[in-house]
Amino acid sequence: MAAPVMQTCHVACCANRTPNVLSWGRGGIIAFGTCNSVAFIQLASSTGPENHLVSGGSDNRLIVWFSQCLECVGHTGPVSAVDAIYLEDPTQILVASAAADSTVRLWLSEVECLHTLSFGSGFMMDVSLVLLPGSRVPILACGGNDSRVHIYVLFNGELNKVMSLQGHEDWVRGLEWASIDEELLLASCAQDCMIRMWRLREGAGSDARPEDNHSIIRMKEDVFEVKERVFAVSLETVLAGHENWVYGVHWQPPRYEGGRRLQPLSLLSASMDKTMILWAPEEASGVWVEQVRVGEVGGNTLGFYGCQMGPDGSMIVAHAFHGALHLWHKRQDREWSPGVVMSGHFNAVQDLSWDPEGEYLLSVGSDQTARLLTPWKQKDGTQTSWHEISRPQIHGYDMQCLATVGRFQFVSGADEKVLRVFRAPRNFVENFANISGASLDKLLASSDAADLPEGASTPALGLSNKAVFQGGPATLPQQEQLSCVSDQYRETYFHPLNLTEPPPEDHLLQNTLWPEVQKLYGHGFEMYCLASDSANTVVASACKASKAEHAAVMLWSSASWRQLQSLPCHALTVTQMAFSPDAQLLLAVSRDRTWSLWRRDPPTPDSAEPNFSMYTHTDKDTAVHSRIIWSCDWSPDSRYFVTSSRDKKVVIHRFLIIKQILSSVSGVHHCSSILDVGDSATAVAFCPELCSDDSYLMAVGLDSGKILLYKWSPPQEPTGGHDWTKCAETDLVQSHTLTVKRLRWRPRAGRAGQQGPGAPSRARGEAGGEESCWLQLASAGADHAVKIFNVNRHTLEAND
């Protein structure tokens, strides 16, 4: 069977900002909701088969996933909690769901709604199912905003309420049953910062057991009857240790020995106080006490929404308010230490860019962060995986665009009128070398190491990352010291790190910032797009605009960061810009459905700085596109450029090299047939490597989230439609679930991190052995995901 053309290399994403969104199965797989998708990561070995997954969403639907997916339709509000158990017939699943429509529903695996519980104006925050010991009768626990835990029993086809457990003083946020021998334990947590544990056993309180000590005061028991058997529920203990709302409780999963099911007495809890606590009873007294506490100290983050424990109890994971996963694992000395886990944006990803060598990927998003991903080469050298190793910018505005300027410098734009320039500190360069396997000496030589600061930190009340130099606090130039209130009360959180593996979330937040070296002022509205040339001399920027006076493109010198020019042409927002690979041309596309082309003037003795002048542009009469133009890019030889639009069209234009500078459209014409991709084409990118037949490879991103690959061969005549060949497209699993915001090919052939430590960088077009058959494509989506695809050139060309 032939290898697929596109293979998913990495998906960077994080958990949704809501409770009950993460589950760790016995198969060692963690499933979590991310935007409107379910993501999976494998973190532990399997301890048992699992064939089903249940998820609920804000689309009011409940889905049971197995060899096929079954939708349970009935809720009229977002589904906030789900649980499921196998019945006596292992092919049948009983599912419980709670939703914002103030109901709890029970479903069978045939998608039949068995029962609906209505709570009037109240809401149930969590549900938990289990089978009564020895009876195989399902019992349901519901906890909600009435501060009570409601118990229901499903018997003879009827769902009956048997009791309500009182004690919590605020909303009940989490519930979970554990089956221990012939008894059940129910753990509940609430916004009163407390965890309550309830014991359910067969037999009324009057049924004394021989081992009972009558001198001990016993808690009051509530009694109910099922199948002429009496069951009693009593309060086992109250666990007080958290200092903020407790959002989740989770029992250590049971293990199986000799066919027997053994339930460890170990309970994990997660709270908004930024800690997780592992609780267990003392061997001597049986009193439940805190065994382990892990979490974060300091920082500006909020706490945890939920927690899960690995199948064997050696790892625990939490998901935080901002979606980050926090992993801890138990070492051989029985101490707990942070582990490496995936991360990603928690809102739409707006833009991304490779560094010039293609060794790392920068992305910015509406979560107000810039994140840097790179392959991590583990010590044994047998495995390479992508991870976030730096968070250069944590902003106070939603971020929209970025452009890399050289190896370790970038410019970013957000929903503000200011552009900000960042430069990598020395500590990042050293850690990047350790993690990626690159040569530190070469990296320092390419980054002017002599004046690099050690790191960066953000002062209290400030948005600017201040440089931290070795042996000193965050400092500013002398003339700027104490220029504002925030500088008088500085807080230096930065501590140099010596990393050999990707850092955990708390280090990413505090110790991996890049210092801000410049602010660029000039635009009148929020920033929208950026571009930089291949010579690293010019940066182009554009902001949101509803009038021509604000739609001008501004050019900046990357040497002095001085504004060079303002290029007026468009009447509405410029949506994207691209410099040609030879750095001689600048292309801009706009909401006004037109594009403009600017050409670099020859240098003059009077000025060595770059200067651009209008070469040509389209207008209402000459425009090919009838709707907003979303994206543009250049071919690697700078001969062609492509535009894509909401009108579902992708068009390639040819730039004619002529001696005279023209002001009309005669110097450029569209030379391809018009490609209709069937959906709004929101992103487009030329591959920097030509195909073996000298045709061009192109990626097109759609509003639906799908990514298409096309080969284009320049025709003699732009008619007939035979110049386009569809090569591949992402399947349902590979595609984004929302709009593709940006596509970027790795600037050279091969897969990042696969060349081996110290391997020489190869120029564009050079072969590199086995790696030369691979290309890498990065995509940013409104579904909060950054995806990296490996594209097999041999398979792609063999399929033609």
Side-chain angles (χ1 to χ4, degrees):
M1 183 177 177
V5 173
M6 298 182 69
Q7 303 173 14
T8 304
C9 171
H10 179 70
V11 179
C13 58
C14 70
N16 285 334
R17 302 167 65 188
T18 180
N20 307 317
V21 78
L22 183 142
S23 179
W24 199 335
R26 288 176 297 173
I29 296 177
I30 291 180
F32 60 91
T34 174
C35 194
N36 51 5
S37 303
V38 178
F40 299 90
I41 52 176
Q42 179 89 38
L43 280 183
S45 58
S46 174
T47 62
E50 282 189 322
N51 302 316
H52 297 82
L53 174 70
V54 182
S55 64
S58 58
D59 57 0
N60 307 348
R61 294 188 302 165
L62 187 76
I63 299 180
V64 181
W65 307 85
F66 53 110
S67 56
Q68 56 182 323
C69 66
L70 297 176
E71 292 187 14
C72 303
V73 180
H75 282 296
T76 57
V79 179
S80 57
V82 295
D83 195 22
I85 55 171
Y86 289 105
L87 299 179
E88 291 182 325
D89 182 354
T91 63
Q92 283 197 323
I93 304 175
L94 182 65
V95 179
S97 61
D101 58 7
S102 300
T103 66
V104 170
R105 291 173 180 258
L106 285 184
W107 316 77
L108 270 181
S109 49
E110 291 84 359
V111 201
E112 175 190 358
C113 182
L114 295 179
H115 297 279
T116 300
L117 300 173
S118 178
F119 292 88
S121 59
F123 301 96
M124 292 298 105
M125 300 301 175
D126 202 7
V127 292
S128 184
L129 282 168
V130 74
L131 297 176
L132 277 174
S135 67
R136 308 299 294 177
V137 172
I139 182 170
L140 168 68
C142 308
N145 64 349
D146 59 358
S147 308
R148 299 182 180 184
V149 178
H150 305 280
I151 307 296
Y152 296 83
V153 171
L154 179 62
F155 180 57
N156 287 338
E158 296 184 0
L159 184 63
N160 296 314
K161 183 175 181 178
V162 293
M163 66 179 61
S164 290
L165 305 177
Q166 302 183 39
H168 285 294
E169 297 177 355
D170 209 334
W171 292 13
V172 177
R173 282 292 186 172
L175 295 167
E176 189 165 300
W177 291 101
S179 180
I180 302 172
D181 297 328
E182 295 300 315
E183 297 182 340
L184 296 176
L185 287 179
L186 173 65
S188 62
C189 61
Q191 293 179 184
D192 59 6
C193 310
M194 298 294 182
I195 300 166
R196 288 178 171 261
M197 195 178 298
W198 315 83
R199 182 180 294 272
L200 186 153
R201 64 181 181 87
E202 187 174 358
S206 58
D207 298 337
R209 293 176 293 182
E211 66 271 19
D212 285 347
N213 186 342
H214 296 283
S215 64
I216 298 176
I217 299 176
R218 300 185 59 83
M219 299 295 294
K220 176 186 175 182
E221 292 184 334
D222 295 312
V223 178
F224 66 92
E225 186 175 332
V226 177
K227 285 186 176 181
E228 299 182 353
R229 299 169 60 188
V230 177
F231 294 88
V233 179
S234 62
L235 179 65
E236 176 74 6
T237 186
V238 177
L239 305 179
H242 288 293
E243 298 176 354
N244 208 327
W245 295 359
V246 186
Y247 265 95
V249 285
H250 180 65
W251 292 96
Q252 180 175 337
R255 65 180 187 272
Y256 294 84
E257 294 181 4
R260 293 181 62 238
R261 183 182 186 275
L262 302 177
Q263 173 65 58
L265 285 177
S266 183
L267 179 69
L268 182 67
S269 61
S271 168
M272 273 292 160
D273 64 6
K274 298 191 281 190
T275 65
M276 285 199 298
I277 298 178
L278 199 58
W279 309 85
E282 289 184 330
E283 291 186 6
S285 64
V287 176
W288 284 79
V289 295
E290 174 184 321
Q291 299 286 330
V292 177
R293 182 187 292 255
V294 298
E296 293 184 354
V297 178
N300 297 319
T301 62
L302 295 176
F304 298 135
Y305 264 143
C307 58
Q308 291 281 289
M309 195 178 301
D312 60 358
S314 64
M315 289 191 287
I316 56 179
V317 67
H319 60 100
F321 181 81
H322 285 147
L325 300 180
H326 297 253
L327 177 71
W328 286 268
H329 58 84
K330 187 190 296 184
R331 302 195 305 256
Q332 293 182 348
D333 60 1
R334 305 190 68 80
E335 293 293 325
W336 292 80
S337 61
V340 177
V341 70
M342 68 181 295
S343 62
H345 291 275
F346 58 85
N347 210 330
V349 187
Q350 299 293 347
D351 201 0
L352 51 73
S353 179
W354 294 88
D355 84 289
E357 298 297 323
E359 294 303 323
Y360 67 78
L361 187 67
L362 269 170
S363 60
V364 295
S366 299
D367 62 353
Q368 305 182 351
T369 66
R371 300 173 186 246
L372 189 147
L373 297 168
T374 195
W376 172 37
K377 290 193 171 184
Q378 301 187 25
K379 291 182 179 179
D380 56 10
T382 59
Q383 187 175 359
T384 300
S385 56
W386 284 79
H387 294 274
E388 181 183 355
I389 67 165
S390 178
R391 202 161 296 170
Q393 185 181 6
I394 301 175
H395 205 21
Y397 295 94
D398 291 2
M399 300 187 67
Q400 296 295 334
C401 52
L402 86 157
T404 53
V405 184
R407 191 73 195 274
F408 295 112
Q409 188 170 240
F410 74 92
V411 185
S412 70
D415 283 345
E416 58 175 345
K417 304 174 185 179
V418 183
L419 291 168
R420 299 174 186 264
V421 185
F422 295 86
R423 188 180 180 194
R426 184 184 184 91
N427 191 239
F428 165 79
V429 178
E430 294 170 347
N431 290 326
F432 175 71
N434 293 339
I435 294 171
S436 66
S439 168
L440 178 59
D441 293 337
K442 291 183 179 179
L443 294 177
L444 291 175
S446 67
S447 58
D448 298 328
D451 60 345
L452 283 182
E454 188 70 14
S457 67
T458 303
L461 309 178
L463 289 177
S464 300
N465 298 348
K466 308 298 183 183
V468 177
F469 291 89
Q470 193 166 15
T475 60
L476 287 170
Q478 186 67 33
Q479 65 272 18
E480 296 185 24
Q481 289 189 3
L482 305 183
S483 61
C484 60
V485 173
S486 63
D487 293 330
Q488 301 177 37
Y489 304 96
R490 296 179 195 157
E491 298 179 33
T492 303
Y493 294 116
F494 171 75
H495 298 283
L497 302 175
N498 182 19
L499 299 175
T500 56
E501 62 181 24
E505 180 71 12
D506 53 344
H507 285 315
L508 285 171
L509 288 168
Q510 296 186 19
N511 300 318
T512 64
L513 294 171
W514 289 17
E516 182 182 309
V517 297
Q518 194 70 41
K519 291 184 181 71
L520 307 180
Y521 298 92
H523 287 287
F525 289 93
E526 296 91 338
M527 302 309 308
Y528 198 83
C529 61
L530 280 165
S532 62
D533 69 343
S534 58
N536 298 323
T537 58
V538 181
V539 173
S541 63
C543 70
K544 295 180 180 178
S546 57
K547 297 180 181 179
E549 60 184 294
H550 302 297
V553 173
M554 289 190 179
L555 300 184
W556 311 83
S557 167
S558 61
S560 62
W561 295 116
R562 187 175 64 85
Q563 183 179 332
L564 299 175
Q565 285 179 272
S566 178
L567 308 179
C569 176
H570 295 282
L572 296 174
T573 304
V574 172
T575 54
Q576 202 168 105
M577 299 174 292
F579 283 94
S580 60
D582 62 9
Q584 297 302 306
L585 298 161
L586 171 63
L587 174 66
V589 296
S590 170
R591 285 184 178 270
D592 63 11
R593 309 174 187 180
T594 67
W595 52 258
S596 60
L597 189 62
W598 306 80
R599 190 171 185 178
R600 187 191 293 254
D601 297 333
T604 63
D606 299 333
S607 176
E609 290 187 328
N611 188 76
F612 282 73
S613 57
M614 171 66 73
Y615 182 72
T616 188
H617 66 91
T618 56
D619 54 30
K620 292 182 179 180
D621 297 327
T622 58
V624 178
H625 294 289
S626 59
R627 302 293 298 276
I628 177 176
I629 305 177
W630 281 123
S631 185
C632 63
D633 199 20
W634 284 92
S635 64
D637 53 12
S638 301
R639 296 176 59 193
Y640 304 95
F641 65 86
V642 61
T643 56
S644 66
S645 169
R646 182 181 283 170
D647 62 9
K648 309 177 184 179
K649 297 176 184 176
V650 176
V651 182
I652 293 180
H653 312 260
R654 183 177 182 184
F655 168 69
L656 300 178
I657 302 176
I658 53 180
K659 294 181 180 179
Q660 184 179 0
I661 298 179
L662 301 176
S663 60
S664 67
V665 296
S666 58
V668 176
H669 65 90
H670 76 272
C671 58
S672 73
S673 59
I674 296 177
L675 176 65
D676 189 334
V677 293
D679 193 11
S680 176
T682 54
V684 67
F686 264 113
C687 178
E689 302 286 331
L690 295 179
C691 298
S692 59
D693 58 356
D694 291 333
S695 60
Y696 298 87
L697 180 62
M698 189 182 308
V700 181
L702 306 183
D703 190 50
S704 64
K706 184 174 290 188
I707 299 173
L708 314 176
L709 292 187
Y710 284 91
K711 284 176 65 175
W712 178 73
S713 301
Q716 297 297 324
E717 297 291 336
T719 58
H722 303 298
D723 49 340
W724 293 98
T725 303
K726 188 175 182 179
C727 304
E729 66 178 52
T730 52
D731 59 29
L732 184 63
V733 174
Q734 293 175 314
S735 300
H736 291 276
T737 55
L738 295 175
T739 305
V740 178
K741 304 292 288 187
R742 186 73 159 174
L743 292 171
R744 296 271 198 168
W745 291 92
R746 185 170 184 252
R748 59 188 70 249
R751 294 169 294 181
Q754 298 294 333
Q755 288 85 357
S761 298
R762 300 183 180 274
R764 183 176 289 161
E766 292 185 4
E770 180 182 349
E771 281 301 310
S772 64
C773 73
W774 290 101
L775 303 167
Q776 281 190 313
L777 174 67
S779 64
D783 60 353
H784 311 178
V786 172
K787 299 192 176 189
I788 302 173
F789 300 96
N790 294 333
V791 179
N792 192 316
R793 298 170 69 179
H794 292 175
T795 304
L796 184 145
E797 296 181 8
N799 291 343
D800 288 349

